[in-house]
Amino acid sequence: YAANEQLDYNFTTRDYAFVAVEWNKDLFAANRERTSETAGYGRHVLIGPTHFLDLEVGVGARQQETSDIPRERENEFIERGAAKYRWAITQTTSFTEALKVESGPSNTYTESVTALKLQIVGSLFANLSYTIKNNTQSAPDTKKTDTETAVTVSYEFGKEKP
C-alpha cells in the first residue's frame, strides 16, 4: 500500500518550496512500513516545451518499521533529494523518470520510476512503468532491492481538447 502527496509553492517561474508526505506499507519488503515528512527547495531547471526537469533538496523526518523486529519503529531525521524528468516525445506520448533518495543514519532509501505514457484515444492512456526500490539496510532474510513492472490504463479528466 502507498499514499503520498506533495504541495509546491512557486516563488518565481523557476523556484519553489515543497512539503511532501509519503506512507508505504509492504509486508514482504526490507522495511515493512515507512512514513516520511519532508520540506525543501525545488528548481524547474528545464521548463519545456519538450523537456522538463525539476531538482529538489530538503530535510525532514522518517518513521520506519523493519522486518527483523515487527512493531518496533525507528524515528530519525533525513535528507531528501529528488529529480523529475519528462520528455514530451509527441503530443500523445511522453517518457518520465523520477528519482528520489531519502538518507538517514540507519538507512538510505532510493526509488527510481521509469514510465512511458501513450495515448490510446481521446483522454484514455496506456502507461508502462518500471520501478526500482532499494534500502541500504535490510534484515538478513530480505533483499535490499525490489522491482515492480506495471501496465495500466488511465483516463485524464478536465484536459482541454485542441
Side-chain angles (χ1 to χ4, degrees), residues 67-68 138-143:
S67 57
D68 54 346
S138 66
D141 60 338
T142 59
K143 294 181 180 179

Side-chain angles (χ1 to χ4, degrees), residues 52-102:
F52 303 84
L53 176 64
D54 292 347
L55 298 176
E56 299 174 348
V57 293
V59 295
R62 175 173 59 202
Q63 304 79 42
Q64 62 186 6
E65 178 183 316
T66 60
S67 57
D68 54 346
I69 307 171
R71 296 188 183 92
E72 184 174 311
R73 296 179 71 78
E74 298 174 352
N75 300 306
E76 60 189 0
F77 288 105
I78 59 170
E79 299 168 344
R80 177 185 188 266
K84 300 172 194 169
Y85 172 74
R86 184 168 66 91
W87 173 23
I89 300 168
T90 67
Q91 287 185 339
T92 60
T93 305
S94 64
F95 169 83
T96 58
E97 172 63 37
L99 176 66
K100 175 179 56 180
V101 178
E102 292 179 352

